[in-house]
Amino acid sequence: MAEPAFLLHRRPYRETSALVDLLTLNHGRIRAVAHGGQRPGSKSRQRLQPFTPLFVAWRGDHELKRLTLMESRGQTALLVGEGLLCGLYANEIATRLLPLELAAEEVFAFYSALLDALPQPAGRALALRRFEWALLDALGATPRFTTPEGDALDPQGRYRFESQSRAFVAFDRGIEGRALRLLDQGDWTPDGLSGALKAVMRAALAPHLGSKPLRSRELMVDLARRRVKQGES
């Protein structure tokens, strides 16, 4: 039975096929061979584009599947500039973090919401943070907004994230306890929380991403540098 999906990553496979990672509604991330996915002019290649809603079906009992159906189910999200880089970042971390065939319906839902938000700068960062949180939740790795011993955070203190305990330890140059307590309440919209939220997500994701640099993050840094240079000229 076909189910909704999005392409996360595609690379050449043999002569004319493609090896693809897909985020699916009911089966999480799957890896499959798309026959003809690299053949110039093929319908498979035209449909296998990032940020395009798809219906897919596949066969196979092993980790590597074979796509048997691939149809478009909507318009491709038209992303440019920072919005495009954020979309590439989301695809990259989902490919890196999600184990194959781990059911992750909330990840799929927040990814869909992210694609709706990325064209508009105002809601972009918050949608990205919610997607990151959904990934951490799927891994059972969301932060605990307490000390490692389970004590409440001091709103006047400062803390850093400790990956082993998934909690926060005192640190003079860390994140304000007040901000962390607000984040724990689940309302991430108040002014002034975006920096703390981004720092928490980056620290929580880091041990799962490993030491290999994210290509999308490097592109974001390059974009920021170009903007600074343009402002100076």
Side-chain angles (χ1 to χ4, degrees), residues 70-98:
M70 181 173 41
E71 296 179 349
S72 173
R73 61 180 176 89
Q75 296 295 317
T76 301
L78 299 178
L79 305 178
V80 296
E82 187 179 83
L84 173 61
L85 294 182
C86 288
L88 294 175
Y89 166 76
N91 286 359
E92 189 173 7
I93 62 173
T95 304
R96 292 261 294 263
L97 293 181
L98 279 178

Side-chain angles (χ1 to χ4, degrees), residues 4 32 46-47 64 176 182 202 207 209 213 232-233:
Q46 294 171 7
R47 291 169 180 164
L64 185 60
E176 290 183 354
L182 288 172
R202 179 166 289 196
L209 290 170
E232 292 174 348
S233 61

Side-chain angles (χ1 to χ4, degrees), residues 42-50 52 54 70-72:
S42 71
K43 290 184 178 179
S44 294
R45 183 168 183 168
Q46 294 171 7
R47 291 169 180 164
L48 276 173
Q49 300 297 325
T52 298
L54 300 168
M70 181 173 41
E71 296 179 349
S72 173

Side-chain angles (χ1 to χ4, degrees), residues 119-137:
Q120 303 299 325
R124 188 177 292 157
L126 185 57
L128 194 56
R129 300 290 89 81
R130 294 200 183 281
F131 175 68
E132 291 171 333
W133 183 272
L135 282 173
L136 289 168
D137 192 37

